Amino acid sequence: ERALRLKTIVRNVDEYDDDDDVGNGRGLILCRILHHRLAIECVPTDGEAWHYLGVALKDLSLLDDSMEPPPPPRQINRTNHCSPPALIELSVACLRYSRQLLPCDGRLCNNLGLALERLRQFYTDDEMMTTKR
């Protein structure tokens, strides 16, 4: 019941009041991530919470990828922003674990496919940058 309430609360959050992140939605995504992590702490086998955590991490990677200047790959920079490739790798890991818990969820399979495609884009972009040098 506690995990269900946490997932319901996060859907009703309006705007997260964070001076650094107002206007770009980052604070709201961080709030979603924290709520889903709390739900997972309450019920570690809650596949839906793992699914929503993976989606929130994917959303954060999309947002952080559009920020200037981009954070260094696979590292945490001085502003405590994790790099988009690291976020999407974590997102894929959460979605894969959720897939073990919810094997017949079509939305989950779709989100996992989108996250894997985004991860592939990072690796192909990285390979193209390496070959140009």
Side-chain angles (χ1 to χ4, degrees), residues 2 4 16 38-39 54 58 69-70 80 88 92 106 118 121 127:
R2 190 180 307 165
L4 179 63
Y16 187 74
L38 284 171
K58 181 177 67 75
N80 292 328
I88 200 68
V92 167
R118 177 123 173 93
Q121 286 175 344
E127 288 174 7

Side-chain angles (χ1 to χ4, degrees), residues 52-126:
Y52 291 149
L53 177 61
V55 170
L57 288 166
K58 181 177 67 75
D59 292 345
L60 185 60
S61 78
L62 292 168
L63 186 67
D64 281 357
D65 192 31
S66 65
M67 292 173 47
E68 291 293 331
R74 302 185 209 293
Q75 296 177 21
I76 298 177
N77 64 13
R78 287 185 222 139
T79 59
N80 292 328
H81 292 165
C82 194
S83 69
L87 286 170
I88 200 68
E89 286 175 5
L90 187 57
S91 171
V92 167
C94 289
L95 292 168
R96 281 187 170 154
Y97 185 70
S98 177
R99 178 98 164 81
Q100 293 175 0
L101 300 170
L102 301 170
C104 298
D105 190 336
R107 291 176 309 126
L108 171 59
C109 292
N110 183 53
N111 286 323
L112 178 57
L114 292 171
L116 286 168
E117 176 63 24
R118 177 123 173 93
L119 186 60
R120 186 189 66 77
Q121 286 175 344
F122 277 118
Y123 284 120
T124 55
D125 289 349
D126 189 37

Side-chain angles (χ1 to χ4, degrees), residues 8-46:
T8 304
I9 289 170
V10 77
R11 291 184 192 128
N12 297 327
V13 173
D14 290 330
E15 274 300 317
Y16 187 74
D17 188 21
D18 187 0
D19 293 337
D20 295 335
D21 300 318
V22 170
N24 66 6
R26 190 171 198 278
L28 184 59
I29 294 172
L30 290 174
C31 184
R32 286 171 43 209
I33 289 170
L34 292 174
H35 273 85
H36 295 309
R37 286 186 60 199
L38 284 171
I40 289 168
E41 281 185 27
C42 293
V43 183
T45 58
D46 185 356

